[in-house]
């Protein structure tokens, strides 16, 4: 029998309270637990005792507009000219009053279209939708299976500044039937305009559990100049981002590099998705007879699902940092395929040509920009360094079409991994914290490439 998904046991459904009552209300949940049970048979519950996770969500309107293809700007919660233009575009398309603001009618249309795109039924049973009034325990479910924790969710909204609304709740994924212990997460939700959240930013550190690791999962575009971001990054052991959601990958990866240079301990969930590709690439050159040929590589081709080149760029940055390649030119071409050509100079002054190709696919998955194929080769016909690595789903169609796969020295496949979703990767990331030197070096290598255009 296939194991069932963990059941969520609710100690406390979302409850509206004032900002000053948060800690008292959480303590009351645990004090009252077990007292009200008539049969006295309630299972034991473990309170959040391992770490605090602060989750900053993208602003709802921007998130919906970006997901539906109306908005391409940064997810910063600011109602600027791009946002106004996107909202007017929606209002014109759906015959709504053209205000350029997030009216209730406009938001209703955006939510409806988002729900349709997610493939949910007409009854609105949608765990993926943006619902500020009832935060989903999905994140808590993923990580509480391993560790009970406290989650502080920050929801920036547009509209009138009416201060910050607070809710508290407590969810417990029930463990195996043989165990009577619940592992529980405390959930604090704060919602308000970006300005309102910034005003209460000074009180958020007081809600972090003292003496335990603290993580900030910044799901919007990271901004080194954002006051709330700077305040939270300064008190957390790790700042977690996911570059697969970046609207402008090149400039946003440069922002990450700026943060690294200021000492912010960064982690990118999209970097974690590259581990299988990195491992197979390293293994390909482990045999003694291929190690010398590693230095002969001077052609790199990386295919990815068109839409976001962040994975391809990070993988190339990793390769360049390991082989000590120095970027000397950078060129982009847009069209049916998004082509990026980068030339490097190796330590022995050989030129290395790299091509990143965003390939259009019919069925785009949850992760935008997943790698589909990597090809490493040399113009030296005597060098034994040809390697082809493909995803099982995407394959190596371009290479097979040109007949190069048979000539490659090594051909391997990367299985599609179920744990590539952000929530599952996050549950692994919170097991560690601090700076990641390999990621930082790879990010630094690709940042040097971007700066060639400036």
């Amino acid at each position: 029998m296939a194991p069932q998904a963990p059941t969520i046991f609710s100690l406390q459904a979302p409850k509206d309270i004032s900002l000053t009552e948060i800690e008292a209300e959480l303590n009351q949940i645990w004090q009252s637990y077990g007292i009200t049970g008539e049969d006295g048979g309630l299972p034991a519950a473990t309170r959040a005792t391992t770490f605090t996770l602060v989750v900053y969500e993208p602003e709802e309107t921007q998130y919906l507009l970006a997901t539906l293809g109306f908005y391409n700007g940064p997810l910063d919660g600011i109602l600027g000219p791009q946002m106004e233009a996107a909202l007017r575009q929606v209002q014109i398309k759906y015959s709504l009053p053209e205000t350029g603001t997030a009216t209730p009618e406009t938001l209703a249309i955006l939510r409806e279209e988002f729900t349709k795109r997610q493939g949910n039924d007409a009854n609105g049973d949608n765990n993926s939708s943006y619902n500020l009034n009832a935060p989903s325990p999905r994140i808590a479910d993923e990580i509480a299976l391993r560790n009970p924790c406290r989650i502080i969710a920050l929801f920036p909204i547009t509209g009138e500044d009416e201060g910050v609304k607070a809710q508290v709740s407590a969810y417990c994924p029930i463990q195996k039937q043989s165990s009577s212990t619940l592992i529980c997460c405390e959930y604090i939700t704060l919602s308000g305009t970006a300005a309102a959240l910034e005003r209460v930013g000074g009180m958020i550190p007081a809600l972090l559990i003292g003496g335990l690791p603290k993580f900030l999962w910044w799901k919007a575009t990271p901004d080194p100049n954002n006051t709330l971001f700077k305040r939270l990054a300064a008190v957390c052991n790790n700042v977690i981002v996911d570059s697969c959601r970046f609207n402008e990958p090149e400039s946003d990866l440069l922002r990450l590099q700026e943060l690294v240079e200021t000492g912010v301990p960064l982690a990118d969930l999209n970097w974690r998705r590259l581990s299988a590709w990195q491992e197979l690439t390293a293994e390909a050159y482990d045999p003694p007879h291929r190690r010398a040929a590693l230095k002969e590589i001077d052609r790199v081709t990386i295919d990815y699902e068109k839409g976001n080149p962040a994975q391809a760029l990070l993988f190339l940055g990793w390769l360049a940092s390991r082989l000590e390649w120095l970027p000397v030119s950078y060129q982009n071409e847009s069209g049916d395929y998004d082509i990026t050509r980068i030339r490097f100079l190796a330590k022995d002054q050989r030129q290395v040509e790299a091509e990143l190709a965003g390939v259009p696919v019919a069925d785009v998955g949850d992760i935008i920009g997943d790698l589909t194929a990597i090809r490493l080769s040399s113009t030296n016909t005597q060098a034994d360094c040809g390697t082809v690595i493909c995803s099982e789903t995407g394959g190596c169609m371009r290479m097979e079409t040109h007949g190069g796969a048979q000539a490659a020295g090594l051909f391997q496949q990367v299985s599609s991994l179920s744990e590539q979703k952000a929530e599952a990767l996050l549950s692994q990331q919170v097991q560690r914290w601090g700076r990641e030197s390999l990621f930082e070096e790879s990010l630094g290598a690709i940042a040097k490439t971007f700066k060639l255009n400036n």
Side-chain angles (χ1 to χ4, degrees), residues 7 35 39 65 67 79 302 389 427:
T7 303
I35 298 175
D39 59 2
L65 288 169
T67 301
L79 183 62
I302 303 174
I389 304 174
S427 69

Side-chain angles (χ1 to χ4, degrees), residues 439-453:
F439 168 66
E440 291 182 0
E441 290 171 12
S442 304
L443 184 62
I446 207 63
K448 290 178 183 176
T449 303
F450 297 151
K451 292 175 182 177
L452 292 174
N453 278 352

